[in-house]
Amino acid sequence: MYSNLPKGPPRSSYKEFTPSIYFSYQQGLKSFQQGYLGITSNTSIVGFLHLNFPSNDPLYIKHIKLSFSGAEYIRLHDTGPQFLNYGTNSICNVSVDLWKSDNNDYQKISNLVLPFEVPLPNDIPSSLSLYKDRGRIEYNLRAIISRKPNLRNFQGSTKIIQCAYTVDRYSLPPSIPDPIKWENDKLRKGVGHEITLNNKVFGPRYPIVVRVKLTFYDARVSLEDIVISLKEYIVVTPKSEVKKKRKNIGKKIVSGKQIPISKETRYNECVTDIKFTIPDDCLCTFNWSEESFHIGITHKVKIKVNFGLFSKHNIKLEIPIKLTNMLTEEEESCLVAELVHQQEISRYLESETLRPRYDSPPPSYEPNLFTNQSSLPSYSPNNNVDSRA
């Protein structure tokens, strides 16, 4: 029966569910979010709540409230082989009245479709779940229904429909590159180098690019390989405990034999660009750079230029970077279309205020319903997470 319902969250996302009461998305949307959290200012959660009951067995209700909440859960310590003790920090709790009876008494409901829109602020973290459930940031959408109790059927005065909801933050690709450069061109070192990282912020559509230029002052030195690694560091600080984890997200290795050596100058030189594409070159699932109450997720790029196992010329560099969830080209096109439309509407309204009467319709527009978004009430995490390697 559920497969025939309007498109909405999958059955597996419901924590409390009945086929008679369920959520659905607006037509054309793939989630409840409208707008892009972290980019657009007016993000919201939109959709429908459906109530379908047989006419001979209706539901008697007098109030429906919609709630959107989020919390950070941190595992404090293991208290047994199967029992975990968690600390909880509330991130947001937004509630709106969705429906009320006219006379504050119970009304008979068989079929009811209620549209909803919950405006949400822009400063909450993305949903996440850490390794071995050490911590998570989780959001839920709830419909809280005040109904007439039915003691014969063991039904209380409140019915709750709840589904888990994934919040994603977005960012635009960097508009101005902010490259990082390391240089050492002293002759006595045997090998001079100029190594450049193209930026400090990366994500889909903005790969990590490392340019390595080497000058061989000592002709006996040969390049073995260049290794670019992307590392993720997770720090969880529940109370006095500090738990850390590091994992290798991905690695690019370029053999020295693949890099041509130029002999046109006084000293042999080589120049090569190494590109690491996110997420295509990632070897495992990773998290975006994030910091909440007690969870910190940071990333580093590590660069190794190897001339031999114990060579004194080996170069090791590392730098903290940020990984963000950037818009796809399709999503960016939708965003641009929406912004252009909003500007057209604003210009139209401004011009109409100068006229004694309206003699032309506003610009026509077919809404661009975004595929992924959200945001929430502001919160102030304690910025005491140790993100060091």
Short mmCIF file of all heavy atoms in Angstrom, two decimals, residues 168-215:
data_model
loop_
_atom_site.label_atom_id
_atom_site.label_comp_id
_atom_site.label_asym_id
_atom_site.label_seq_id
_atom_site.Cartn_x
_atom_site.Cartn_y
_atom_site.Cartn_z
N ASP A 168 21.77 18.80 4.79
CA ASP A 168 23.01 19.01 4.04
C ASP A 168 23.31 20.50 3.94
O ASP A 168 22.41 21.30 3.63
CB ASP A 168 22.91 18.45 2.63
CG ASP A 168 22.82 16.94 2.62
OD1 ASP A 168 23.66 16.30 3.28
OD2 ASP A 168 21.91 16.40 1.95
N ARG A 169 24.54 20.87 4.20
CA ARG A 169 25.00 22.24 3.97
C ARG A 169 25.70 22.30 2.61
O ARG A 169 26.26 21.31 2.15
CB ARG A 169 25.97 22.70 5.06
CG ARG A 169 25.32 22.90 6.43
CD ARG A 169 26.31 23.52 7.40
NE ARG A 169 26.68 24.87 6.97
CZ ARG A 169 26.00 25.96 7.30
NH1 ARG A 169 24.91 25.87 8.05
NH2 ARG A 169 26.40 27.15 6.89
N TYR A 170 25.69 23.48 2.02
CA TYR A 170 26.30 23.67 0.70
C TYR A 170 27.19 24.90 0.71
O TYR A 170 27.06 25.77 1.56
CB TYR A 170 25.23 23.85 -0.38
CG TYR A 170 24.41 22.61 -0.64
CD1 TYR A 170 23.30 22.31 0.15
CD2 TYR A 170 24.74 21.74 -1.66
CE1 TYR A 170 22.54 21.18 -0.09
CE2 TYR A 170 23.99 20.60 -1.91
CZ TYR A 170 22.89 20.33 -1.12
OH TYR A 170 22.15 19.21 -1.36
N SER A 171 28.07 24.94 -0.27
CA SER A 171 28.87 26.15 -0.48
C SER A 171 29.14 26.29 -1.97
O SER A 171 29.05 25.32 -2.73
CB SER A 171 30.20 26.08 0.29
OG SER A 171 31.05 25.09 -0.28
N LEU A 172 29.46 27.49 -2.38
CA LEU A 172 29.85 27.74 -3.77
C LEU A 172 31.34 27.49 -3.93
O LEU A 172 32.10 27.63 -2.97
CB LEU A 172 29.52 29.18 -4.16
CG LEU A 172 28.03 29.55 -4.19
CD1 LEU A 172 27.87 31.05 -4.39
CD2 LEU A 172 27.30 28.79 -5.29
N PRO A 173 31.78 27.10 -5.12
CA PRO A 173 33.22 26.97 -5.34
C PRO A 173 33.92 28.29 -5.07
O PRO A 173 33.33 29.36 -5.25
CB PRO A 173 33.31 26.58 -6.83
CG PRO A 173 31.98 26.00 -7.15
CD PRO A 173 30.99 26.73 -6.30
N PRO A 174 35.17 28.26 -4.59
CA PRO A 174 35.90 29.51 -4.32
C PRO A 174 35.94 30.40 -5.56
O PRO A 174 36.24 29.94 -6.65
CB PRO A 174 37.30 29.04 -3.92
CG PRO A 174 37.10 27.62 -3.47
CD PRO A 174 35.98 27.08 -4.29
N SER A 175 35.62 31.68 -5.37
CA SER A 175 35.63 32.61 -6.50
C SER A 175 37.03 33.14 -6.79
O SER A 175 37.36 33.43 -7.94
CB SER A 175 34.69 33.79 -6.21
OG SER A 175 35.06 34.44 -5.00
N ILE A 176 37.85 33.25 -5.74
CA ILE A 176 39.23 33.73 -5.90
C ILE A 176 40.17 32.71 -5.29
O ILE A 176 40.09 32.42 -4.09
CB ILE A 176 39.43 35.10 -5.23
CG1 ILE A 176 38.45 36.13 -5.81
CG2 ILE A 176 40.87 35.57 -5.38
CD1 ILE A 176 38.52 37.48 -5.14
N PRO A 177 41.07 32.13 -6.07
CA PRO A 177 42.01 31.15 -5.50
C PRO A 177 42.89 31.77 -4.42
O PRO A 177 43.24 32.95 -4.47
CB PRO A 177 42.85 30.73 -6.72
CG PRO A 177 42.03 31.09 -7.91
CD PRO A 177 41.25 32.30 -7.52
N ASP A 178 43.21 30.96 -3.43
CA ASP A 178 44.10 31.39 -2.34
C ASP A 178 45.22 30.36 -2.22
O ASP A 178 45.25 29.56 -1.29
CB ASP A 178 43.31 31.51 -1.04
CG ASP A 178 44.15 32.03 0.11
OD1 ASP A 178 45.22 32.62 -0.16
OD2 ASP A 178 43.76 31.84 1.27
N PRO A 179 46.16 30.36 -3.17
CA PRO A 179 47.18 29.30 -3.21
C PRO A 179 48.18 29.41 -2.06
O PRO A 179 48.42 30.47 -1.50
CB PRO A 179 47.87 29.53 -4.56
CG PRO A 179 47.65 30.98 -4.85
CD PRO A 179 46.32 31.33 -4.27
N ILE A 180 48.75 28.25 -1.72
CA ILE A 180 49.79 28.15 -0.70
C ILE A 180 51.06 27.68 -1.40
O ILE A 180 51.04 26.74 -2.20
CB ILE A 180 49.41 27.13 0.39
CG1 ILE A 180 47.99 27.41 0.91
CG2 ILE A 180 50.43 27.15 1.52
CD1 ILE A 180 47.83 28.78 1.53
N LYS A 181 52.19 28.34 -1.10
CA LYS A 181 53.43 28.00 -1.78
C LYS A 181 54.54 27.73 -0.77
O LYS A 181 54.70 28.44 0.21
CB LYS A 181 53.85 29.13 -2.72
CG LYS A 181 55.13 28.85 -3.52
CD LYS A 181 55.49 30.01 -4.43
CE LYS A 181 54.54 30.11 -5.60
NZ LYS A 181 55.01 31.13 -6.60
N TRP A 182 55.28 26.65 -1.03
CA TRP A 182 56.48 26.34 -0.26
C TRP A 182 57.67 26.42 -1.23
O TRP A 182 57.64 25.84 -2.33
CB TRP A 182 56.43 24.94 0.32
CG TRP A 182 55.32 24.69 1.29
CD1 TRP A 182 55.35 24.83 2.64
CD2 TRP A 182 54.00 24.22 0.98
NE1 TRP A 182 54.15 24.48 3.20
CE2 TRP A 182 53.30 24.10 2.21
CE3 TRP A 182 53.35 23.87 -0.20
CZ2 TRP A 182 51.99 23.65 2.28
CZ3 TRP A 182 52.04 23.44 -0.13
CH2 TRP A 182 51.36 23.33 1.09
N GLU A 183 58.75 27.11 -0.83
CA GLU A 183 59.90 27.27 -1.70
C GLU A 183 61.19 27.01 -0.94
O GLU A 183 61.32 27.34 0.24
CB GLU A 183 59.96 28.70 -2.27
CG GLU A 183 58.87 29.02 -3.26
CD GLU A 183 59.03 30.42 -3.83
OE1 GLU A 183 58.59 31.37 -3.16
OE2 GLU A 183 59.61 30.55 -4.92
N ASN A 184 62.13 26.42 -1.63
CA ASN A 184 63.49 26.27 -1.13
C ASN A 184 64.39 26.15 -2.35
O ASN A 184 64.39 25.13 -3.04
CB ASN A 184 63.64 25.04 -0.23
CG ASN A 184 65.01 25.00 0.42
OD1 ASN A 184 65.99 25.49 -0.12
ND2 ASN A 184 65.07 24.40 1.61
N ASP A 185 65.14 27.17 -2.63
CA ASP A 185 65.94 27.21 -3.87
C ASP A 185 67.42 27.39 -3.57
O ASP A 185 68.15 27.97 -4.36
CB ASP A 185 65.44 28.33 -4.79
CG ASP A 185 65.91 28.13 -6.23
OD1 ASP A 185 66.03 26.97 -6.64
OD2 ASP A 185 66.15 29.13 -6.91
N LYS A 186 67.85 26.91 -2.39
CA LYS A 186 69.26 27.07 -2.02
C LYS A 186 70.11 25.98 -2.68
O LYS A 186 69.83 24.79 -2.55
CB LYS A 186 69.41 27.04 -0.51
CG LYS A 186 68.73 28.23 0.18
CD LYS A 186 68.95 28.19 1.68
CE LYS A 186 68.28 29.40 2.35
NZ LYS A 186 68.44 29.38 3.82
N LEU A 187 71.16 26.40 -3.30
CA LEU A 187 72.02 25.49 -4.05
C LEU A 187 72.61 24.40 -3.16
O LEU A 187 72.73 23.24 -3.55
CB LEU A 187 73.15 26.29 -4.73
CG LEU A 187 74.14 25.50 -5.59
CD1 LEU A 187 73.41 24.84 -6.74
CD2 LEU A 187 75.23 26.43 -6.11
N ARG A 188 72.95 24.76 -1.93
CA ARG A 188 73.62 23.81 -1.03
C ARG A 188 72.70 22.65 -0.62
O ARG A 188 73.16 21.64 -0.11
CB ARG A 188 74.14 24.53 0.21
CG ARG A 188 73.05 25.18 1.06
CD ARG A 188 73.68 25.94 2.24
NE ARG A 188 72.67 26.64 3.04
CZ ARG A 188 71.96 26.06 4.00
NH1 ARG A 188 72.16 24.76 4.27
NH2 ARG A 188 71.08 26.75 4.70
N LYS A 189 71.41 22.80 -0.82
CA LYS A 189 70.48 21.73 -0.45
C LYS A 189 70.50 20.58 -1.46
O LYS A 189 69.96 19.52 -1.19
CB LYS A 189 69.06 22.29 -0.34
CG LYS A 189 68.86 23.26 0.83
CD LYS A 189 68.95 22.53 2.15
CE LYS A 189 68.62 23.48 3.30
NZ LYS A 189 68.69 22.78 4.60
N GLY A 190 71.08 20.76 -2.61
CA GLY A 190 71.14 19.70 -3.61
C GLY A 190 69.94 19.66 -4.53
O GLY A 190 70.07 19.39 -5.71
N VAL A 191 68.75 19.91 -3.98
CA VAL A 191 67.51 19.94 -4.78
C VAL A 191 66.70 21.15 -4.33
O VAL A 191 66.37 21.30 -3.15
CB VAL A 191 66.68 18.66 -4.59
CG1 VAL A 191 65.40 18.75 -5.42
CG2 VAL A 191 67.47 17.42 -4.99
N GLY A 192 66.37 22.03 -5.27
CA GLY A 192 65.49 23.14 -4.97
C GLY A 192 64.05 22.77 -5.30
O GLY A 192 63.81 21.98 -6.22
N HIS A 193 63.11 23.30 -4.56
CA HIS A 193 61.72 22.97 -4.87
C HIS A 193 60.83 24.20 -4.75
O HIS A 193 61.11 25.13 -3.99
CB HIS A 193 61.19 21.86 -3.94
CG HIS A 193 61.06 22.29 -2.50
ND1 HIS A 193 62.02 22.01 -1.54
CD2 HIS A 193 60.08 22.96 -1.85
CE1 HIS A 193 61.64 22.49 -0.37
NE2 HIS A 193 60.45 23.08 -0.54
N GLU A 194 59.76 24.18 -5.55
CA GLU A 194 58.68 25.17 -5.48
C GLU A 194 57.38 24.36 -5.59
O GLU A 194 57.06 23.85 -6.65
CB GLU A 194 58.80 26.18 -6.61
CG GLU A 194 57.72 27.25 -6.58
CD GLU A 194 57.85 28.23 -7.72
OE1 GLU A 194 58.85 28.96 -7.78
OE2 GLU A 194 56.92 28.24 -8.57
N ILE A 195 56.67 24.25 -4.48
CA ILE A 195 55.47 23.42 -4.41
C ILE A 195 54.28 24.32 -4.09
O ILE A 195 54.32 25.09 -3.12
CB ILE A 195 55.62 22.32 -3.35
CG1 ILE A 195 56.82 21.41 -3.70
CG2 ILE A 195 54.34 21.50 -3.23
CD1 ILE A 195 57.14 20.38 -2.65
N THR A 196 53.23 24.21 -4.90
CA THR A 196 52.06 25.09 -4.75
C THR A 196 50.79 24.25 -4.62
O THR A 196 50.55 23.34 -5.41
CB THR A 196 51.93 26.03 -5.96
OG1 THR A 196 53.15 26.75 -6.15
CG2 THR A 196 50.79 27.03 -5.75
N LEU A 197 49.97 24.59 -3.61
CA LEU A 197 48.63 24.02 -3.44
C LEU A 197 47.64 25.07 -3.90
O LEU A 197 47.72 26.23 -3.48
CB LEU A 197 48.39 23.64 -1.98
CG LEU A 197 47.01 23.08 -1.63
CD1 LEU A 197 46.79 21.74 -2.30
CD2 LEU A 197 46.86 22.95 -0.11
N ASN A 198 46.68 24.71 -4.73
CA ASN A 198 45.84 25.70 -5.40
C ASN A 198 44.87 26.45 -4.50
O ASN A 198 44.41 27.54 -4.82
CB ASN A 198 45.06 25.07 -6.56
CG ASN A 198 44.16 23.92 -6.12
OD1 ASN A 198 44.53 23.14 -5.25
ND2 ASN A 198 43.00 23.80 -6.74
N ASN A 199 44.52 25.90 -3.31
CA ASN A 199 43.60 26.61 -2.42
C ASN A 199 43.60 25.94 -1.05
O ASN A 199 44.36 25.00 -0.81
CB ASN A 199 42.18 26.60 -3.00
CG ASN A 199 41.43 27.89 -2.69
OD1 ASN A 199 41.48 28.39 -1.57
ND2 ASN A 199 40.73 28.43 -3.68
N LYS A 200 42.72 26.43 -0.16
CA LYS A 200 42.55 25.83 1.17
C LYS A 200 41.16 25.23 1.35
O LYS A 200 40.89 24.61 2.37
CB LYS A 200 42.77 26.88 2.27
CG LYS A 200 44.19 27.43 2.34
CD LYS A 200 44.29 28.46 3.46
CE LYS A 200 45.67 29.07 3.53
NZ LYS A 200 45.75 30.11 4.59
N VAL A 201 40.26 25.46 0.36
CA VAL A 201 38.89 24.95 0.43
C VAL A 201 38.64 24.11 -0.82
O VAL A 201 38.89 24.55 -1.94
CB VAL A 201 37.87 26.10 0.50
CG1 VAL A 201 36.45 25.55 0.56
CG2 VAL A 201 38.14 26.98 1.72
N PHE A 202 38.11 22.90 -0.60
CA PHE A 202 37.90 21.97 -1.71
C PHE A 202 36.56 21.26 -1.56
O PHE A 202 35.95 21.27 -0.50
CB PHE A 202 39.03 20.94 -1.77
CG PHE A 202 40.39 21.56 -1.87
CD1 PHE A 202 41.17 21.74 -0.73
CD2 PHE A 202 40.90 21.97 -3.08
CE1 PHE A 202 42.42 22.32 -0.79
CE2 PHE A 202 42.15 22.56 -3.17
CZ PHE A 202 42.91 22.73 -2.03
N GLY A 203 36.14 20.63 -2.64
CA GLY A 203 34.90 19.89 -2.65
C GLY A 203 34.58 19.46 -4.06
O GLY A 203 35.41 19.61 -4.98
N PRO A 204 33.40 18.88 -4.29
CA PRO A 204 33.00 18.53 -5.65
C PRO A 204 33.11 19.75 -6.58
O PRO A 204 32.77 20.86 -6.19
CB PRO A 204 31.54 18.08 -5.48
CG PRO A 204 31.44 17.65 -4.05
CD PRO A 204 32.37 18.54 -3.29
N ARG A 205 33.62 19.53 -7.76
CA ARG A 205 33.84 20.58 -8.76
C ARG A 205 35.03 21.48 -8.44
O ARG A 205 35.34 22.39 -9.20
CB ARG A 205 32.59 21.47 -8.93
CG ARG A 205 31.36 20.73 -9.45
CD ARG A 205 30.19 21.67 -9.57
NE ARG A 205 30.49 22.79 -10.44
CZ ARG A 205 29.85 23.96 -10.40
NH1 ARG A 205 28.89 24.14 -9.51
NH2 ARG A 205 30.18 24.94 -11.22
N TYR A 206 35.72 21.24 -7.33
CA TYR A 206 36.92 22.03 -7.04
C TYR A 206 37.98 21.07 -6.49
O TYR A 206 38.10 20.88 -5.28
CB TYR A 206 36.63 23.15 -6.05
CG TYR A 206 37.66 24.26 -6.13
CD1 TYR A 206 37.42 25.39 -6.89
CD2 TYR A 206 38.88 24.15 -5.47
CE1 TYR A 206 38.37 26.40 -7.00
CE2 TYR A 206 39.83 25.16 -5.58
CZ TYR A 206 39.56 26.28 -6.34
OH TYR A 206 40.53 27.28 -6.46
N PRO A 207 38.78 20.44 -7.39
CA PRO A 207 39.74 19.42 -6.96
C PRO A 207 40.98 20.03 -6.30
O PRO A 207 41.28 21.21 -6.45
CB PRO A 207 40.11 18.73 -8.27
CG PRO A 207 39.92 19.79 -9.31
CD PRO A 207 38.76 20.62 -8.86
N ILE A 208 41.67 19.19 -5.58
CA ILE A 208 42.98 19.54 -5.02
C ILE A 208 44.00 19.42 -6.14
O ILE A 208 44.11 18.38 -6.80
CB ILE A 208 43.35 18.60 -3.87
CG1 ILE A 208 42.36 18.75 -2.71
CG2 ILE A 208 44.77 18.84 -3.38
CD1 ILE A 208 42.48 17.66 -1.66
N VAL A 209 44.76 20.49 -6.38
CA VAL A 209 45.80 20.47 -7.41
C VAL A 209 47.12 20.90 -6.78
O VAL A 209 47.20 21.99 -6.20
CB VAL A 209 45.46 21.38 -8.61
CG1 VAL A 209 46.58 21.33 -9.64
CG2 VAL A 209 44.14 20.98 -9.24
N VAL A 210 48.11 20.05 -6.87
CA VAL A 210 49.44 20.35 -6.34
C VAL A 210 50.42 20.44 -7.50
O VAL A 210 50.53 19.49 -8.29
CB VAL A 210 49.91 19.28 -5.34
CG1 VAL A 210 51.32 19.58 -4.86
CG2 VAL A 210 48.95 19.21 -4.14
N ARG A 211 51.09 21.58 -7.63
CA ARG A 211 52.14 21.74 -8.65
C ARG A 211 53.50 21.59 -7.97
O ARG A 211 53.79 22.28 -6.99
CB ARG A 211 52.03 23.08 -9.34
CG ARG A 211 53.24 23.44 -10.20
CD ARG A 211 52.97 24.56 -11.17
NE ARG A 211 52.05 24.13 -12.23
CZ ARG A 211 51.76 24.85 -13.30
NH1 ARG A 211 52.30 26.06 -13.45
NH2 ARG A 211 50.92 24.41 -14.20
N VAL A 212 54.30 20.70 -8.50
CA VAL A 212 55.63 20.45 -7.95
C VAL A 212 56.67 20.79 -9.01
O VAL A 212 56.66 20.22 -10.11
CB VAL A 212 55.79 18.98 -7.51
CG1 VAL A 212 57.19 18.75 -6.97
CG2 VAL A 212 54.75 18.63 -6.44
N LYS A 213 57.54 21.73 -8.66
CA LYS A 213 58.66 22.07 -9.53
C LYS A 213 59.95 21.77 -8.77
O LYS A 213 60.16 22.24 -7.66
CB LYS A 213 58.63 23.55 -9.92
CG LYS A 213 59.82 23.99 -10.78
CD LYS A 213 59.76 25.48 -11.11
CE LYS A 213 60.97 25.90 -11.93
NZ LYS A 213 60.95 27.36 -12.23
N LEU A 214 60.83 20.97 -9.38
CA LEU A 214 62.08 20.57 -8.75
C LEU A 214 63.26 20.99 -9.62
O LEU A 214 63.20 20.86 -10.85
CB LEU A 214 62.11 19.06 -8.53
CG LEU A 214 60.99 18.45 -7.68
CD1 LEU A 214 61.07 16.93 -7.70
CD2 LEU A 214 61.06 18.97 -6.25
N THR A 215 64.29 21.50 -8.98
CA THR A 215 65.55 21.84 -9.67
C THR A 215 66.66 21.00 -9.05
O THR A 215 66.92 21.07 -7.85
CB THR A 215 65.88 23.33 -9.50
OG1 THR A 215 64.79 24.12 -10.00
CG2 THR A 215 67.14 23.69 -10.27
#
